[in-house]
Amino acid sequence: MKQIRTFLFTEAFRHFSPEGSAIDSVTRDAMKELLGGKGAGLAEMGASGVNVPPGLTITTTTCHEYYDQGGRLPDGLMEQVREKLAVVEGQLSRRLGDPSAPLLLSVRSGAKFSMPGMMDTILNLGLNDETVLGLAALSDTPEHRRFAWDSYRRFIQMFGNVVLDIEKEAFEHELSAVKAHAQVKLDSELGAEDFVSVVDRYKRLVREKTGGDFPQDTSEQLAMAIEAVFRSWNNPRAIFYRDLNKIDHDLGTAVTVQSMVFGNLDDKSGTGVCFTRNPATGARELYGEYLTRAQGEDVVAGIRTPRKIAELAQEMPAVNAELLETIARLEHHYRDLQDIEFTIEQGRLYILQTRSGKRNATSAVRVAVEMAQEGIITREEAIGRVDPRDLIQLLLPSFDIKAKARAKDDGRLLATGLNASPGAAIGEIVFDPDTAAERGARGDKVILVREETCPDDIHGMVPAQGIVTARGGMTSHAAVVARGMGKPCVAGCETFKIDVHARTLSVAGKVFRDGDVISIDGATGEIFAGSIDTAEIAGSEHLDLLLSWADELQGLGVRANADTPEDARLARDFGAVGIGLCRTEHMFMAQERLAVMQRMILADDKASRQAALDELLPMQRADFVGIFEAMDGLPVTIRLLDPPLHEFLPRLEELIEEVATLKAAIKYKRSGGRKAGSSNSTSKAPKLEVQLAERQALLAKVRDLSESNPMMGRRGCRLGLVDAEINVMQVRAIFEAACDVQSRGARVLPEIMIPLVGHVNELAFARAVLEKTALEVMSERGVNVEYKFGTMIEVPRAALTADEIAQHAEFFSFGTNDLTQMTFGFSRDDAEGKFLNHYLEGIDVLGEKKRVLKDNPFAQLDVGGVGKLMRLAADGGRSVRPGIKLGICGEHGGDPASIAFAYELGLNYVSCSPYRVPIARLAAAQARLSGGQRDR
C-alpha cells in the first residue's frame, strides 16, 4: 500500500474529521503532529470557510524519512506532490511552468510548535525566463510588468540564499548598484526595466557562486525547495531555538506548498500580519501592520517600516471590514489569541496562516484571565495557558519615573522608535551578535544594536539585555523574538545611523561607539544616553487573579528560600506559605559578624570559643526575630550551619602569598633598606612582625581545616556533632527569638533542619543534644513553641535508609542540589564549565553529534536517577511515620517540570527563591490539572 506523504488542505481536514465536524484539542494536536502547525491551521481554516489559497502539505513523517535516508527525498514523494498539485492547478486554471497561465507557489516550513523565522521559506517558485514573460503578459500595464519582474528577482534572491546557500549580502549589493544607477533609495521606486537589470545581475551572481545557471525547470525548483526546507530543520538557529524552548529535536517539520497570491501586484494589493489581541499588553484590540505593494517577507524582514493596521480602514474599508469579521471568527474558533498572516490581491482578502500568537508574559496572563472572564475558556484552561517560566517577565524592571524625567530634562533622550517589547534595559552597545554572545558569557550587560535582526542573530539576542533596530516594525523578527523572550526591544528607530564597520551609532548629533552605555524603554520606545535608575516591580492585577485561581487548585504548598527578614517579607508578598529553607551561614557573612565568626574559629580553647559564640548569639537571635515576625503563623524551616568552617576564612592561596610578602618586607626592613626621603626603615619592623604572626596563625588554622574534598568533609551535621557548641548556640538563638515573638502575640512555627545526614545515628545524636537546648530555653522563658526537628535528604545513603532516619525526623526536605551532585558524582562548581555543557550540546560519537543528557540536572530534576532516590526516601519515611512532612528546598523547587514530579511524589511543598514563588504557584496548579497519579 502506497504511503501517504502529502495531503491537500481540503482532504487533510477530512482525514481527521470524516464528517467534517469541529474537532477537539486532542484531534487538533494530532493534526499538528502530522501536518505541522501551519498545515493543520490551513486545513482547518479552509474547512471553516475562510478564504485560503489552495495547496498541499507534506507530512512531518516524510521529514523523518529524509533524515533516515541520509538527507535524500524519499522515492515516490515528488510523484505524490505532482499528483496533488494537479488538483490545485485544476482549481485555479493555472499550471506550474506554463508560460501562458503560470502557477506560482510558496514553499514553507511548519513544525508542530511555532518556530518563527527559524526555518526557511521560498516564495514565487515557478518563475523562470519564460514564465516571467507569461506573468507579465497577463496584463498589458507597465505596473503589471513591473510586478512580474519584481517577483522574479525576489524568487532568485530567496532561492539563491535558501537553496543555493549564497549570502544575502551578495544579492543586496547587486540591488544597491541598480538603485544607485537609477538614483533612487527605495525598492518601490524601481521600474520594470530596473528589475530586468536586477534579474540579469542575480543570474550572473548565481553562475559565479555555483558554477551553474539558475534552474529553469520548475519541477526541479520545487524538489530543491522542498529538500531545502527539510534541511532547514537542523540549521544552527533552529537547533538553538529548540534547545532554548525545550522543543523535541525529533519532531521534524512539515512542508506546505501553497499557491501564491500577490500583495505586490498594485496599489489595491498588500500584505500584513495582525494579532487578534495585543501580544505585548494583552489588550482586546486589533494589533498589527501591513504594507501595500509588498510580499510577506517585507513586513517581517525589517526592509521597510510598515503601517499600523488601523490605517487599513481608511485605505481599503471593505477589506478591513472583512478582515475584522474573519479574525473574530478565527479567535472564537481556536479560543486563543491568533497571529494571522494575510495578503490582499487586487482588493480581495486571503488568509495565509493563523496560529496561536506568541506573546510575552504580561499579555499571556491578561489574555488568559480576560478570556476566562468572557466565557471563552474556563478558569482551569486559563491556568494552563500561561507558561510558569514566563512569569519572571512580569518581574522585569521599569525606569523610575522621576529619573526618566530628569534624563529628558538633561537632553539624554536620543530617539523614540516603536515600543516593540516592554521592559527596561541598560547596557553597553554592541553591534553584532557574536560580540553580544561573547560579552554576555562574561557577564557583561549589553544592548544589541542592529539595522535589523534576522534569525541568524538569535545567539546574540539571548544574552543581550535588550535589542534596538533601526528598521522594522512591531511584527519584525526582532520584535517577535524579543517579546517571546521577555526582553525589551525598540524597533524601527529610523533616526539611528549605524556604521557596522566603524562600530558607531550616530543620532541626535552625537556619535556612540561600541561599549558606550544606553538605556532603552521597550514600553515607550524611548532610548537614552547613559543609565537610568529603575523602579521596583509594580505587579499585575491579572496575575494576582490568575494566581488566586491557581491557589484554589493547589495540592502542593509553595514556600520560599529566605535568609533575612527582608527576603521573608518579599516571599510572603509573592504568596509563599512559609519558608522552606533559611540558610543560617549567610547570616555570618556581614563584615562585623565575620570578624567574630573568625575569632570563634581561631579560638585555642573552649572558653575563647564560647566567648565568641556568646557574642554571635544576640546577632542570630535578632535575625530570627525579624524572620518570625514576617512569617507570623507560617512555618519556617531553618537549616543549621552547613558549610565547612574554612569558608569563613581567607583562601589558602591568598594567605600563603600574604605571609610571603610580609616575610620579604621584614627582611628588607631588617637589612636597613630605605627609600629616598624615608625615616629609619627598621622602625616599622615590629608592627610587621606582629602582622606576620597573626597571618601565620591564621594560615596554620586554614591548613588545619583544609580538606581535599571539602564538600564531602567536615560540614553539616558532622561539624555539629564534633563541635556541638556551634549548633547549640544556633538552636538557643532560634528558640529565644521564637519565645520572644510568640510572647508578643504572634504564632511561631520553627522547623529545625539538620543537614547532610547519611546515617540514622547522626540525626539521633544531634537531635538529642539540640532538643535538650530547645526545651531548656522554653522552660527558661515560660513559653511553649510548636516546633519540629527534621533533616535534609541530600546524601544517597539517607534516601536508602529513610525508614530508619524517619524514626527521628518529623520532616524530610530534599536538598536536591547536593543530592544531584552526589548521585551523579558531578561537582556543581566545576561540571558546567568543564564538561556538562558538552553533555548537553552533544559530543562526537563515531562522527555523529549526540547529547549525553537532555537537560541540565542542576536545573531540572533528574527523575530517572535522583527521582528514584527521592521516591525511595518518601516511601521509606511514610512507612514508619505516615504523617511525615516532605518538601524540596533545592533550586529545583522553582522549576515547573521538577514541581510536576514533586506533585506526583506526593510532597507537601516545594521551596524556591522569592521571585520564583509565583512560578511555583502556577506550576503546582498545572501539575494538579495534568491529572497525574499522586503518591501518598
Side-chain angles (χ1 to χ4, degrees):
M1 184 176 177
K2 183 171 70 173
Q3 182 177 347
I4 300 175
R5 298 189 177 99
T6 62
F7 288 90
L8 292 168
F9 297 160
T10 50
E11 64 185 5
F13 188 78
R14 290 198 301 271
H15 178 79
F16 288 91
S17 178
E19 303 300 323
S21 55
I23 58 175
D24 58 21
S25 60
V26 175
T27 305
R28 185 174 291 126
D29 192 66
M31 283 182 66
K32 290 181 179 180
E33 187 87 35
L34 184 66
L35 304 174
K38 191 186 301 290
L42 288 166
E44 193 170 354
M45 277 196 298
S48 69
V50 174
N51 192 19
V52 174
L56 60 98
T57 299
I58 303 171
T59 64
T60 56
T61 55
T62 311
C63 182
H64 300 158
E65 289 185 82
Y66 171 79
Y67 281 103
D68 289 343
Q69 296 179 12
R72 183 175 62 82
L73 293 180
D75 294 338
L77 171 63
M78 292 311 299
E79 285 77 6
Q80 286 192 34
V81 169
R82 282 191 287 272
E83 178 186 323
K84 303 295 185 185
L85 194 58
V87 177
V88 175
E89 290 173 331
Q91 290 175 318
L92 299 174
S93 299
R94 302 179 197 167
R95 291 184 302 279
L96 184 68
D98 183 352
S100 63
L103 172 67
L104 303 190
L105 302 171
S106 65
V107 182
R108 302 172 187 262
S109 61
K112 178 180 180 180
F113 299 106
S114 177
M115 296 170 54
M118 296 301 111
M119 292 181 286
D120 290 327
T121 292
I122 297 97
L123 303 180
N124 303 311
L125 188 143
L127 282 171
N128 57 25
D129 292 350
E130 294 182 355
T131 55
V132 68
L133 299 176
L135 185 64
L138 293 177
S139 172
D140 59 1
T141 64
E143 186 177 71
H144 199 91
R145 186 166 188 272
R146 179 193 180 281
F147 146 74
W149 285 97
D150 178 28
S151 299
Y152 192 17
R153 69 92 187 176
R154 289 170 183 268
F155 173 51
I156 296 175
Q157 178 170 353
M158 189 171 283
F159 191 95
N161 174 242
V162 170
V163 180
L164 304 178
D165 204 27
I166 301 171
E167 60 275 9
K168 294 177 184 177
E169 290 76 13
F171 290 104
E172 288 296 328
H173 177 76
E174 299 296 334
L175 180 62
S176 296
V178 173
K179 286 193 287 189
H181 183 266
Q183 297 183 333
V184 300
K185 292 184 177 181
L186 302 176
D187 300 359
S188 58
E189 297 174 291
L190 293 173
E193 295 307 317
D194 296 318
F195 283 126
V196 171
S197 176
V198 173
V199 166
D200 288 340
R201 283 173 170 268
Y202 280 5
K203 288 163 63 179
R204 185 165 58 248
L205 175 66
V206 169
R207 194 176 303 114
E208 291 172 357
K209 294 288 186 179
T210 67
D213 290 331
F214 185 80
Q216 295 293 304
D217 185 327
T218 54
S219 293
E220 180 187 1
Q221 291 175 0
L222 181 57
M224 293 173 72
I226 291 168
E227 184 173 357
V229 172
F230 281 146
R231 195 165 59 239
S232 73
W233 172 254
N234 276 336
N235 70 38
R237 65 177 184 267
I239 292 171
F240 183 93
Y241 185 89
R242 291 198 296 273
D243 283 338
L244 185 68
N245 291 279
K246 296 186 179 298
I247 296 173
D248 189 345
H249 290 285
D250 294 329
L251 288 174
T253 182
V255 180
T256 297
V257 180
Q258 189 174 21
S259 55
M260 287 287 298
V261 286
F262 299 100
N264 59 335
L265 193 56
D266 54 27
D267 287 336
K268 291 297 181 182
S269 302
T271 187
V273 177
C274 65
F275 295 79
T276 54
R277 303 190 187 217
N278 191 315
T281 67
R284 191 178 182 184
E285 60 189 14
L286 183 61
Y287 176 100
E289 300 167 320
Y290 75 103
L291 284 168
T292 54
R293 282 187 170 275
Q295 289 193 324
E297 77 272 17
D298 293 340
V299 178
V300 298
I303 296 169
R304 291 165 57 188
T305 299
R307 300 164 67 177
K308 291 186 180 298
I309 195 72
E311 297 177 33
L312 187 63
Q314 285 75 45
E315 189 168 6
M316 302 182 197
V319 171
N320 184 71
E322 185 182 356
L323 178 64
L324 291 176
E325 187 276 329
T326 301
I327 66 171
R329 182 149 45 106
L330 289 171
E331 181 179 271
H332 182 77
H333 179 80
Y334 287 102
R335 301 168 66 244
D336 195 10
L337 181 159
Q338 294 297 292
D339 171 1
I340 298 166
E341 295 179 18
F342 64 90
T343 289
I344 307 160
E345 184 181 272
Q346 295 183 314
R348 187 176 182 191
L349 175 69
Y350 294 88
I351 303 299
L352 306 185
Q353 173 173 280
T354 190
R355 59 189 174 191
S356 291
K358 293 287 184 183
R359 66 207 82 173
N360 59 23
T362 301
S363 178
V365 170
R366 181 172 177 179
V367 168
V369 168
E370 291 189 353
M371 280 192 163
Q373 292 173 327
E374 293 162 20
I376 298 173
I377 59 176
T378 65
R379 287 185 177 186
E380 289 76 14
E381 286 177 303
I383 290 167
R385 289 281 176 91
V386 179
D387 187 335
R389 295 171 299 177
D390 291 343
L391 293 188
I392 198 68
Q393 295 176 21
L394 295 181
L395 307 177
L396 292 170
S398 59
F399 290 127
D400 179 81
I401 295 176
K402 293 182 179 178
K404 187 173 168 181
R406 286 195 299 270
K408 288 182 178 179
D409 292 340
D410 294 340
R412 290 166 53 196
L413 177 62
L414 301 175
T416 301
L418 299 173
N419 53 330
S421 183
I426 305 164
E428 297 176 356
I429 295 172
V430 295
F431 292 97
D432 67 89
D434 291 338
T435 302
E438 177 185 342
R439 292 177 58 185
R442 296 202 308 256
D444 295 345
K445 295 185 183 300
V446 299
I447 303 289
L448 181 61
V449 177
R450 303 282 278 163
E451 282 285 346
E452 72 261 5
T453 65
C454 67
D456 289 333
D457 293 343
I458 191 167
H459 66 291
M461 299 171 75
V462 170
Q465 302 298 303
I467 300 155
V468 176
T469 65
R471 295 202 295 257
M474 306 289 276
T475 52
S476 65
H477 177 265
V480 171
V481 173
R483 279 197 299 270
M485 292 180 179
K487 290 185 184 294
C489 176
V490 177
C493 196
E494 297 183 337
T495 58
F496 272 26
K497 304 303 177 188
I498 299 169
D499 188 331
V500 176
H501 300 294
R503 306 184 77 78
T504 60
L505 161 65
S506 301
V507 60
K510 300 173 183 177
V511 178
F512 294 82
R513 292 178 169 78
D514 193 292
D516 289 342
V517 174
I518 59 173
S519 299
I520 70 170
D521 189 337
T524 63
E526 296 167 309
I527 302 173
F528 297 85
S531 62
I532 300 176
D533 293 338
T534 55
E536 291 188 10
I537 305 303
S540 160
E541 62 181 30
H542 291 95
L543 176 60
D544 291 342
L545 183 55
L546 183 71
L547 290 176
S548 72
W549 296 346
D551 290 343
E552 293 172 7
L553 290 172
Q554 273 184 23
L556 189 65
V558 178
R559 299 190 188 184
N561 301 342
D563 308 325
T564 66
E566 293 76 22
D567 284 347
R569 284 188 285 271
L570 180 63
R572 192 157 193 165
D573 289 342
F574 279 131
V577 294
I579 291 177
L581 177 62
C582 176
R583 294 156 289 207
T584 54
E585 61 269 14
H586 290 181
M587 299 173 175
F588 298 122
M589 293 302 186
Q591 199 59 42
E592 70 279 3
R593 299 183 182 194
L594 188 58
V596 183
M597 187 70 176
Q598 290 177 345
R599 196 160 68 246
M600 183 274 293
I601 296 169
L602 295 172
D604 293 326
D605 54 67
K606 283 195 172 184
S608 300
R609 169 168 285 198
Q610 191 58 54
L613 288 170
D614 289 344
E615 196 172 339
L616 287 170
L617 175 63
M619 300 177 187
Q620 282 262 277
R621 183 173 59 234
D623 290 326
F624 294 130
V625 165
I627 290 172
F628 290 147
E629 288 176 340
M631 303 305 290
D632 180 10
L634 297 178
V636 178
T637 304
I638 302 165
R639 183 180 71 186
L640 301 180
L641 195 65
D642 184 50
L645 291 178
H646 73 80
E647 288 195 9
F648 297 97
L649 300 175
R651 294 176 62 233
L652 179 64
E653 296 81 0
E654 293 173 357
L655 283 171
I656 292 173
E657 183 178 346
E658 195 174 343
V659 167
T661 301
L662 285 168
K663 284 182 177 178
I666 291 170
K667 183 177 180 181
Y668 177 77
K669 299 296 183 184
R670 284 178 175 168
S671 68
R674 65 175 68 228
K675 294 181 181 178
S678 68
S679 59
N680 190 337
S681 59
T682 59
S683 63
K684 293 185 179 180
K687 292 182 179 179
L688 291 174
E689 288 173 350
V690 171
Q691 291 178 33
L692 177 62
E694 291 174 349
R695 304 319 277 177
Q696 284 177 322
L698 185 56
L699 176 59
K701 190 67 175 180
V702 170
R703 277 181 167 147
D704 180 55
L705 292 173
S706 67
E707 298 168 302
S708 58
N709 193 346
M711 291 305 293
M712 300 180 73
R714 187 179 174 183
R715 55 171 284 228
C717 67
R718 303 158 194 168
L719 176 64
L721 288 168
V722 175
D723 299 304
E725 60 271 20
I726 298 175
N727 283 173
V728 166
M729 180 276 292
Q730 291 191 292
V731 171
R732 174 166 283 277
I734 291 167
F735 278 87
E736 286 183 357
C739 290
D740 289 350
V741 173
Q742 188 157 302
S743 66
R744 295 197 290 269
R747 188 178 179 211
V748 183
L749 300 168
E751 299 177 345
I752 314 304
M753 185 157 66
I754 299 170
L756 216 68
V757 166
H759 192 282
V760 62
N761 287 345
E762 291 175 315
L763 179 61
F765 297 168
R767 176 170 181 174
V769 173
L770 300 175
E771 193 162 22
K772 178 176 178 291
T773 301
L775 294 171
E776 288 175 353
V777 172
M778 289 188 288
S779 176
E780 293 166 5
R781 300 296 178 98
V783 177
N784 285 319
V785 174
E786 185 181 338
Y787 68 90
K788 285 181 169 65
F789 271 90
T791 186
M792 292 185 81
I793 302 294
E794 51 191 331
V795 177
R797 191 182 189 282
L800 296 170
T801 61
D803 54 340
E804 299 175 17
I805 291 173
Q807 296 174 36
H808 302 275
E810 294 162 289
F811 67 88
F812 288 165
S813 181
F814 290 100
T816 52
N817 298 340
D818 272 355
L819 186 58
T820 298
Q821 179 171 236
M822 293 192 184
T823 301
F824 272 96
F826 291 171
S827 166
R828 272 187 296 161
D829 298 328
D830 301 316
E832 297 199 43
K834 300 293 176 63
F835 64 86
L836 190 53
N837 55 319
H838 298 291
Y839 276 27
L840 296 168
E841 294 167 7
I843 60 173
D844 185 85
V845 180
L846 301 177
E848 185 178 353
K849 196 171 186 180
K850 294 187 175 182
R851 294 192 294 173
V852 178
L853 296 172
K854 182 181 178 182
D855 299 295
N856 183 338
F858 293 109
Q860 183 171 316
L861 196 64
D862 166 47
V863 173
V866 176
K868 284 185 178 179
L869 288 173
M870 293 173 65
R871 194 179 295 278
L872 281 171
D875 291 346
R878 293 186 184 116
S879 70
V880 298
R881 193 185 290 268
I884 191 169
K885 187 181 288 187
L886 304 172
I888 287 180
C889 64
E891 275 306 301
H892 298 97
D895 169 63
S898 305
I899 291 168
F901 177 70
Y903 177 82
E904 176 194 332
L905 201 56
L907 303 192
N908 300 93
Y909 68 88
V910 295
S911 187
C912 55
S913 61
Y915 280 98
R916 298 181 81 184
V917 166
I919 295 173
R921 290 167 64 193
L922 185 59
Q926 290 180 353
R928 183 173 179 182
L929 286 173
S930 68
Q933 193 66 33
R934 183 160 161 80
D935 294 348
R936 290 290 183 187

